[in-house]
Amino acid sequence: MFAAKGKTFPKLLQQRREQVAWMQATEICVVVSQEQGEVADFAKWKNFRDEPLDIVPHREKMVKRDLEQDFKKAEHPFRIAIVCAMWLTGFDVKCLATLYLDKPMRGHTLMQAIARVNRVGGGKKHGLIIDYNGMLKSLRRALATFAQGDRAGTGKGEGEQDTVRDDAEALAEYAESLKQARDYLAGLGFDLGALVAAKGFDKQSRILTAVNLLCESDERRKTYHVIVEDIRARHRGLFPHPGLFDFDGDESAIVAIDNTLQDARETPDVSELLQSLYEVVDTALTTEGKAPYSVKEGIDGGARYDLSNIDFARLRAEFERTPFKNVVTLNLKEKIEVRLAMMVARNPSRVDLYERYQEIVQAYNKDKDNVEIQKVFDQLNTFNSSLNEEEKRYLREGLDNEDQLAVFDLLQKASLTKEDRDAIKKVSRELLETLTSGKLRIDRWREKATAQAQVKADIIKHLFTHLPPHRYDAEEINLKAGAVFAHLFTAGLSEGARVYR
């Protein structure tokens, strides 16, 4: 349906499909010790289809595969293990989150069993134990015996909170984390309850309004994301507890806001983002006959434009019309930040550009009205244009690429004549040609001290030989050589940079 209309699948629907595919791919294996006559013994039992249990295919898996290693890999489809007298002691799986117990245990054996799920990692805050035998009292006695300590605050002292808690207590903490998100949004002037109750495009518009409020500053956005990550972790720890269903409305709305917030950051093009925002606004207008509550007077469902092809003046006009200015500004800011990081990695002399960008970010993070938001958006666009010019500077300098420009910038100094600059450009070009055809071709040279020393020696030798002697003394040349070496050593570590292998 979505493909026929030329639209992408909604993110929530895509997530649900991925979850179904994940469940369908999940493998369940039996891990039990081998006994004589086990085939006949298992055949005495019946499955839900009233068929004799067949241990043979399970035993073949246990013999032919390394099930232990498969189970320890979080990405492996073997995710559910049915065990008996196996893997309950000395078996460490950090990603294991849930343990079902239907065999009476006590003391040290019980402690060893529950330790299978108490490893922290991968966003897991705690393990979940499903107890079919009412062993809570036995577990607390075991903890009192085997988990005593004498240092408060370490997790081992007697003054610590009970290590094993009833699921109702964990559910109450989950509810409190949802309330924290609700209260945080309320403090920004957003009613989560109205979003939960909303339908259709009104719901989408309200989500965007919440995102727009969160995009007003980096602090707001990051704080909310931390709160939501805590909610997700607690939800994973409790799932599939039936009590979670009572909070589905709030949880879905809170997570939907965070997902949209991340989408706003990651949308490849600011024009594409504006187009998607107008789609929500315009569709709401055409289907409901009135603007959603978040859309200001003057926004109408007029003709849509391919915003990626319009000029800056038109883009600015479209920005003035959107009620979601903070969202668009964040998107543009994020794109510039990634682009600037790559440019600075390729040429460390561009630190002045980074300083100019930070001044804009400071303005973005201040409390601001629509006029100030427009001003920040204009500054970002102007700054982006300056980046375009900077990326072409190597052409204006008569160099072949940005790599040569980076070395040239590192070798420059004040009060150089045109002849000096031309000579340094030649030095930069020839130095890179010498290195890339020589020492930099050594495999994994960054990991070899001898190769590093050879690269640095070649740089020093070339600079002492070819830099204008009347402009650089020995100390300056050594400093310049160190700066060039440091750049060549680190440049390849920035993804997207032209690497010196």
Side-chain angles (χ1 to χ4, degrees), residues 3 8 57 66 74 171 173 188 219 248 340 349 389 395 439 496:
T8 57
D66 190 346
L171 192 64
E173 291 182 353
L188 302 180
E219 182 181 358
D248 265 358
L340 180 60
S349 300
E389 292 300 312
L395 295 172
K439 296 298 188 295

Side-chain angles (χ1 to χ4, degrees), residues 116-384:
R116 300 315 101 210
V117 293
N118 71 351
R119 303 294 191 267
V120 177
K124 186 179 75 173
K125 284 181 172 291
H126 49 71
L128 179 63
I129 301 172
I130 311 297
D131 174 20
Y132 291 97
N133 281 286
M135 292 184 288
L136 184 59
K137 289 183 179 179
S138 296
L139 181 53
R140 283 177 171 155
R141 281 197 296 269
L143 287 167
T145 302
F146 298 104
Q148 288 182 352
D150 57 0
R151 298 188 305 277
T154 65
K156 300 178 182 178
E158 293 182 357
E160 297 294 324
Q161 289 185 335
D162 193 353
T163 304
V164 180
R165 295 173 298 149
D166 189 87
D167 55 0
E169 192 174 338
L171 192 64
E173 291 182 353
Y174 172 70
E176 181 61 30
S177 67
L178 291 172
K179 182 179 181 298
Q180 184 183 6
R182 180 188 283 267
D183 291 345
Y184 185 76
L185 291 171
L188 302 180
F190 183 80
D191 183 1
L192 186 68
L195 170 58
V196 174
K199 304 292 183 183
F201 286 97
D202 183 36
K203 182 180 287 287
Q204 288 180 285
S205 180
R206 289 178 184 273
I207 290 174
L208 286 171
T209 299
V211 171
N212 195 60
L213 289 169
L214 292 167
C215 287
E216 188 164 317
S217 72
D218 288 330
E219 182 181 358
R220 282 188 182 185
R221 173 174 55 81
K222 292 176 181 177
T223 299
Y224 183 75
H225 186 63
V226 168
I227 293 172
V228 175
E229 284 298 294
D230 180 63
I231 291 172
R232 285 186 168 122
R234 294 184 186 280
H235 187 280
R236 284 193 297 269
L238 282 165
F239 187 83
H241 194 289
L244 290 172
F245 297 116
D246 295 336
F247 304 98
D248 265 358
D250 279 9
E251 190 268 344
S252 296
I254 290 167
V255 171
I257 291 171
D258 188 63
N259 287 340
T260 306
L261 181 60
Q262 302 313 310
D263 286 344
R265 297 179 59 201
E266 297 166 6
T267 302
D269 189 273
V270 65
S271 299
E272 179 185 332
L273 177 65
L274 269 170
Q275 182 71 73
S276 66
L277 298 181
Y278 281 126
E279 212 167 275
V280 173
V281 175
D282 292 348
T283 307
L285 285 162
T286 55
T287 57
E288 300 176 16
K290 58 183 178 63
Y293 84 106
S294 62
V295 182
K296 298 180 180 179
E297 290 292 327
I299 303 297
D300 55 38
R304 300 190 182 105
Y305 308 100
D306 181 1
L307 298 177
S308 61
N309 293 327
I310 65 175
D311 58 23
F312 172 75
R314 186 58 175 274
L315 178 60
R316 189 179 189 279
E318 296 293 344
F319 177 79
E320 289 177 351
R321 293 201 315 129
T322 180
F324 309 116
K325 289 181 170 58
N326 288 328
V327 181
V328 181
T329 303
L330 171 67
N331 180 268
L332 181 59
K333 184 178 79 73
E334 293 283 330
K335 300 299 169 294
I336 290 176
E337 193 162 315
V338 172
R339 182 184 184 189
L340 180 60
M342 292 175 63
M343 290 178 65
V344 172
R346 295 179 73 172
N347 188 341
S349 300
R350 289 167 171 160
V351 66
D352 60 318
L353 289 175
Y354 181 78
E355 292 171 351
R356 284 167 51 195
Y357 171 73
Q358 286 303 313
E359 292 175 0
I360 299 175
V361 170
Q362 289 176 8
Y364 165 81
N365 284 324
K366 292 179 181 177
D367 292 335
K368 49 191 177 297
D369 55 20
N370 281 343
V371 174
E372 288 300 316
I373 296 172
Q374 182 76 55
K375 182 178 178 182
V376 171
F377 179 78
D378 289 345
Q379 288 176 338
L380 286 171
N381 274 283
T382 302
F383 184 76
N384 191 53

Side-chain angles (χ1 to χ4, degrees), residues 74 80 116 241 246 265 366 374 385 432 447 466-467 478 489:
I80 300 177
R116 300 315 101 210
H241 194 289
D246 295 336
R265 297 179 59 201
K366 292 179 181 177
Q374 182 76 55
S385 297
L432 280 183
E447 301 174 14
H466 298 288
L467 280 179
N478 280 316
F489 186 86

